């Protein structure tokens, strides 16, 4: 008998024209997510997708496919299915009994659910369920019906093909990446920003990222850690272009000229301005940070207000109301935590004041910032000198040594 995987997706946004757009993007995301399996046979199937399992699979292919599907946003359920040869009720019953005997090693209580797409099918859904239920009841040992709280829900769906199954693996939910526009993530080596990017990708946003690198104060290992974080997030979000911005000159300038209690806020404001230029290059309408209310001095309401004022476009801070533990839990779930806690220095920890202000006033910040008389040129230099990498699940490739440099070096 043919085997496959029935893929279920959320229905919230599936109205009118949106439905086809959503389905096509999700199909593309699934193909991209399952790339390592080579050419796949994936079909639309009335509110679901059907993925054919190769006939010679000994179980390895399907296990890997399920694992990869659990990384694709927009999928809510993943069901390994048997596909009987014909849609006559005898054959479906044979398949269901065989499925039960094969998949479960002890008797359970069960209920059968049936769906038929074609209303001309000789039996209605309730009749189908009743007939199949009877067969399972009589042809298996110890299985009994419980219509209220069954341990196992057995399904028969009669669509273009027939699907028989009794297990559903939860998908991630969210929306397919590419349905929610583009945004640029300010990605540091910490715990928070990779999680922030992941959360926006979960709402369908396609990511690019910017990392501010203060060489030689921050080492190449610190940069590589950030690229590795992007690679890990790309398992969910798809390939992520990461700009590595040379930030040393700007940081030294701020350090030399501005009041030290204002350092972090001014630095973050300049980061926003550089990131915005790079967001433009990527066609991104928004920016994302891992900022979280009250976590540190630069993330009080007053501080965030001052930083935010430097940005011309919307800045998403999806972690704003989370406790640290909740963020850590997600970081562990998405497998970025272990990388994030590697002990490499970060530009913000090196140029940091002993007593940063927690109640800055925008006017004071702006006045102090005026001391940075070369900042426009410095920003331009930082943008132009950025290196570009592409972080994909299987590899990290350097695309350009600088935005104005030549392609494909190194
Ligand atoms: P994270 O765990 O993401 O580093 P954090 O709690 O350490 O966050 P901060 O260091 O104060 O917070 O930074 C706040 C946010 O500013 C980060 O989440 C990130 O979005 C951005 N950011 C900070 N440093 C950098 C950097 N070197 N490059 C890019 N973005 C940065
Ligand atoms: Mg940080």
């Amino acid at each position: 008998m043919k085997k496959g995987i029935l893929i279920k997706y959320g229905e919230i946004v599936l109205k009118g024209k949106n439905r086809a757009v959503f389905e096509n993007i999700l199909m593309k995301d699934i193909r991209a997510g399952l790339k390592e399996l080579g050419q796949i046979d994936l079909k639309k199937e009335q509110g679901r997708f059907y993925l054919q399992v190769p006939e010679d699979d000994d179980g390895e292919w399907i296990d890997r496919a399920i694992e990869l599907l659990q990384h694709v946003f927009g999928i809510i359920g993943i069901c390994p299915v048997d596909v009987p040869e014909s849609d006559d009720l005898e054959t479906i019953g044979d398949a269901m009994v065989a499925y039960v005997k094969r998949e479960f090693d002890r008797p359970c209580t069960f209920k059968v659910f049936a769906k038929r797409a074609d209303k001309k099918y000789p039996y209605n859904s309730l009749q189908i369920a009743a007939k199949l239920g009877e067969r399972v009841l009589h042809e298996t040992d110890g299985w009994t019906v419980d219509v209220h709280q069954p341990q196992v829900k057995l399904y028969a769906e009669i669509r273009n093909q027939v699907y028989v199954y009794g297990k559903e693996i939860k998908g991630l939910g969210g929306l397919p990446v590419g349905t929610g526009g583009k945004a640029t993530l300010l990605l540091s080596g910490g715990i928070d920003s990779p999680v922030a990017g992941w959360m926006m990708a979960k709402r369908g946003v396609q990511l690019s990222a910017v990392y501010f690198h203060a060489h030689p104060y921050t080492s190449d290992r610190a940069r590589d850690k950030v690229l590795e974080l992007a690679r890990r997030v790309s398992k969910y979000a798809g390939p992520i272009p990461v700009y590595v911005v040379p930030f040393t000159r700007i940081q030294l300038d701020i350090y030399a000229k501005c009041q030290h209690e204002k350092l972090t806020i001014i630095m973050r404001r300049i980061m926003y301005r550089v990131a915005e230029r790079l967001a433009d290059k990527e066609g991104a309408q928004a920016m994302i940070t891992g900022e979280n209310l009250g976590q540190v001095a630069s993330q009080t309401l007053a501080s965030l207000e001052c930083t935010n004022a430097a940005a011309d476009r919307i800045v998403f801070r999806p972690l704003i109301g989370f406790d640290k533990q909740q963020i850590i839990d997600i970081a562990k779930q998405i497998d970025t935590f272990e990388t994030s806690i590697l002990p490499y220095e970060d530009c913000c920890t090196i140029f940091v004041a002993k007593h940063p202000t927690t109640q800055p006033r925008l006017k004071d910040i702006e006045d102090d910032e005026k001391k940075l008389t070369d900042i426009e040129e410095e920003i331009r230099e930082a943008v132009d000198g950025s290196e570009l990498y592409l972080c994909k699940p299987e590899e990290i490739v350097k695309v350009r040594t600088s935005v104005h440099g030549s392609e494909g070096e190194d």
Side-chain angles (χ1 to χ4, degrees):
M1 191 171 0
K2 275 207 305 183
K3 284 181 189 297
I5 301 175
L6 207 56
I7 300 169
K8 301 181 177 177
Y9 43 85
E11 311 240 342
I12 311 147
V13 290
L14 299 185
K15 299 211 181 72
K17 270 195 307 203
N18 284 343
R19 180 182 183 121
V21 173
F22 175 99
E23 286 177 339
N24 291 338
I25 293 177
L26 181 54
M27 277 193 121
K28 200 163 99 284
D29 289 354
I30 292 173
R31 286 186 197 286
L34 271 57
K35 205 168 113 193
E36 63 168 70
L37 296 176
Q39 192 72 14
I40 56 166
D41 181 359
L42 180 70
K43 290 190 190 71
K44 283 192 191 179
E45 170 61 290
Q46 300 162 329
R48 291 144 170 34
F49 297 146
Y50 173 74
L51 175 62
Q52 179 67 50
V53 172
E55 263 166 40
D56 58 358
D57 180 40
D58 58 4
E60 205 178 307
W61 190 97
I62 192 171
D63 287 349
R64 185 64 183 150
I66 290 170
E67 196 177 320
L68 293 169
L69 288 168
Q70 285 178 287
H71 287 74
V72 178
F73 294 124
I75 293 176
I76 58 170
I78 302 157
C79 309
V81 294
D82 285 356
V83 184
E85 307 297 323
S86 100
D87 68 357
D88 75 67
L89 209 44
E90 266 310 296
T91 314
I92 301 174
D94 292 346
M96 187 167 279
V97 170
Y99 176 91
V100 167
K101 288 184 175 168
R102 189 187 74 223
E103 291 294 321
F104 301 92
D105 48 17
R106 58 180 183 87
C108 300
T109 62
F110 76 98
K111 178 177 177 178
V112 176
F113 296 83
K115 288 196 177 113
R116 45 161 201 172
D118 181 358
K119 300 297 167 208
K120 291 202 288 285
Y121 192 77
Y123 304 98
N124 70 30
S125 301
L126 285 176
Q127 290 167 326
I128 300 167
K131 286 186 187 290
L132 293 174
E134 244 167 67
R135 287 206 50 191
V136 173
L137 192 62
H138 292 127
E139 295 175 40
T140 59
D141 281 337
W143 282 68
T144 52
V145 175
D146 181 344
V147 290
H148 301 295
Q149 278 183 316
Q151 289 164 331
V152 173
K153 293 178 178 173
L154 296 171
Y155 292 86
E157 298 188 14
I158 305 168
R159 300 178 185 275
N160 293 324
Q161 318 181 93
V162 182
Y163 306 107
V164 170
Y165 62 99
K167 291 178 182 171
E168 178 162 333
I169 299 145
K170 244 172 112 67
L172 277 178
L175 301 173
V177 170
T179 57
K182 289 185 180 181
T184 293
L185 168 68
L186 277 74
L187 181 61
S188 68
I191 296 168
D192 302 335
S193 43
V195 174
W198 182 84
M199 288 191 59
M200 294 307 296
K202 186 166 190 276
R203 297 310 300 165
V205 171
Q206 192 182 328
L207 302 179
S208 54
V210 177
Y211 165 61
F212 295 91
H213 191 44
H215 187 79
Y217 300 94
T218 48
S219 64
D220 286 350
R221 284 186 316 181
R223 177 204 59 204
D224 293 345
K225 170 182 164 182
V226 171
L227 295 173
E228 173 60 16
L229 286 169
R231 189 188 72 80
R232 287 175 183 240
V233 175
S234 79
K235 291 183 188 176
Y236 300 89
I240 304 177
V242 180
Y243 291 87
V244 176
V245 179
F247 206 50
T248 317
R249 182 175 166 200
I250 291 176
Q251 273 201 312
L252 290 173
D253 204 27
I254 299 173
Y255 200 73
K257 294 177 185 159
C258 299
Q259 291 171 6
H260 281 195
E261 57 166 35
K262 299 189 174 65
L263 275 182
T264 309
I265 290 172
I266 293 176
M267 183 183 71
R268 194 80 78 235
R269 282 167 57 87
I270 310 293
M271 282 184 178
Y272 276 26
R273 288 168 62 185
V274 173
E276 260 183 340
R277 307 267 178 106
L278 294 167
D280 281 339
K281 286 190 191 292
E282 289 293 323
Q285 304 115 286
M287 298 197 291
I288 306 164
T289 77
E291 287 163 322
N292 170 259
L293 192 61
Q295 198 180 79
V296 285
S298 60
Q299 296 175 32
T300 63
L301 200 48
S303 298
L304 287 173
E305 191 184 7
C306 291
T307 354
N308 196 57
D312 279 332
R313 70 195 71 198
I314 188 163
V315 180
F316 290 120
R317 301 176 178 87
L319 307 183
I320 199 72
F322 278 27
D323 290 340
K324 193 75 192 186
Q325 190 57 47
Q326 291 176 293
I327 301 170
I328 289 172
D329 290 345
I330 300 176
K332 286 183 176 164
Q333 182 204 330
I334 66 174
D335 202 23
T336 53
F337 184 73
E338 292 301 323
T339 307
S340 288
I341 59 174
L342 292 173
Y344 311 135
E345 65 298 320
D346 163 63
C347 63
C348 308
T349 46
I350 292 167
F351 299 91
V352 76
K354 280 206 191 67
H355 301 290
T357 172
T358 56
Q359 296 300 322
R361 292 192 328 168
L362 184 55
K363 173 93 178 49
D364 298 340
I365 298 281
E366 285 172 347
D367 284 346
D368 207 41
E369 230 172 64
K370 289 194 184 116
K371 296 176 194 160
L372 302 172
T373 45
D374 299 328
I375 194 66
E376 281 307 326
E377 193 220 313
E378 288 167 4
I379 288 177
R380 209 175 317 118
E381 188 185 277
V383 170
D384 291 349
S386 298
E387 295 179 338
L388 176 59
Y389 293 80
L390 188 62
C391 297
K392 302 190 264 189
E394 65 280 12
E395 61 177 348
I396 296 169
V397 273
K398 190 169 189 177
V399 182
R400 275 197 304 248
T401 33
S402 76
V403 165
H404 279 335
S406 53
E407 306 269 327
E409 282 184 34
D410 276 64

